[in-house]
Amino acid sequence: MTIAEQTGAGIDPRAFRDALGHYASGITIIGGLEEGQNGPEPVGFTCQSFYSVSTEPPLVSFSVMTNSTTYPRIRETGKFSVNVLSHHQHTVSNQFARKGTDKWAGIEWTPTANRNPVIADTLMWLDCDIWAEHEAGDHYIVIGRVTEMSPPEWHKHEPLLYFKGQYRHLRDGGIGR
């Protein structure tokens, strides 16, 4: 099959996802704090589509499926936290990726000044107000204005990476399993 035959509207969704898997990315937990029946409760989900947008003003973005059941609960608050996971937190990533479970069971966290959850021992974190949201196919692109971030002494770990469908981390300057 030629490159021309592989492009256009006939792209298979699974093949497209597999191709994008060749782009290594970090793993984040997008979090928020909503009012529950027994008071404030943390909510969150695993997200690998996260990136910086602007330094003036400080903006970041993430993408989330339009059928997410967690993101609308965060949207209602108008704010969110971004927890960039450390190399040893693959179990945290898996826990937040599951549907229908208590994602925060056993997770140590503290609130930001804006009351969003920061997960202990992450690589770094940001606290944001929702700046804009755009529908893009089967995802929303959410842009946040950073209002607070982890202090320099927080940044002591290596990142958790995701590449070709597996978690990876940096080792001796190279990619390792």
Side-chain angles (χ1 to χ4, degrees):
M1 184 179 291
T2 68
I3 291 176
E5 292 170 328
Q6 295 175 32
T7 61
I11 293 179
D12 175 66
R14 183 69 222 180
F16 181 60
R17 185 175 178 162
D18 290 346
L20 293 178
H22 287 84
Y23 178 73
S25 65
I27 302 290
T28 67
I29 303 298
I30 304 297
L33 198 64
E34 71 172 350
E35 274 306 316
Q37 294 177 356
N38 301 320
E41 297 176 357
V43 294
F45 59 91
T46 300
C47 180
Q48 106 185 58
S49 298
F50 167 77
Y51 54 93
S52 64
V53 174
S54 168
T55 55
E56 291 292 329
L59 301 175
V60 295
S61 182
F62 68 88
S63 296
V64 59
M65 296 279 297
T66 56
N67 65 357
S68 168
T69 57
T70 304
Y71 174 63
R73 297 159 60 196
I74 292 172
R75 178 198 291 136
E76 284 185 27
T77 71
K79 56 191 178 178
F80 62 92
S81 59
V82 179
N83 295 272
V84 179
L85 297 184
S86 297
H87 63 91
H88 62 281
Q89 293 182 305
H90 59 277
T91 56
V92 174
S93 174
N94 288 338
Q95 184 167 325
F96 278 83
R98 290 188 191 98
K99 294 182 185 230
T101 62
D102 180 0
K103 297 177 182 186
W104 293 90
I107 301 294
E108 183 183 337
W109 65 276
T110 56
T112 63
N114 219 10
R115 297 185 59 222
N116 285 312
V118 169
I119 297 172
D121 218 23
T122 56
L123 177 65
M124 58 88 74
W125 58 266
L126 302 168
D127 195 41
C128 305
D129 290 331
I130 294 177
W131 174 274
E133 177 184 287
H134 306 281
E135 193 166 343
D138 61 359
H139 278 69
Y140 293 116
I141 299 170
V142 181
I143 300 173
R145 183 180 178 120
V146 179
T147 59
E148 186 182 0
M149 62 185 193
S150 51
E153 61 272 10
W154 187 281
H155 312 150
K156 58 188 174 199
H157 296 296
E158 294 292 327
L160 177 63
L161 300 176
Y162 199 70
F163 178 68
K164 293 174 74 174
Q166 295 182 352
Y167 294 114
R168 311 288 179 112
H169 65 271
L170 300 175
R171 274 201 196 129
D172 301 323
I175 294 285
R177 288 184 181 213

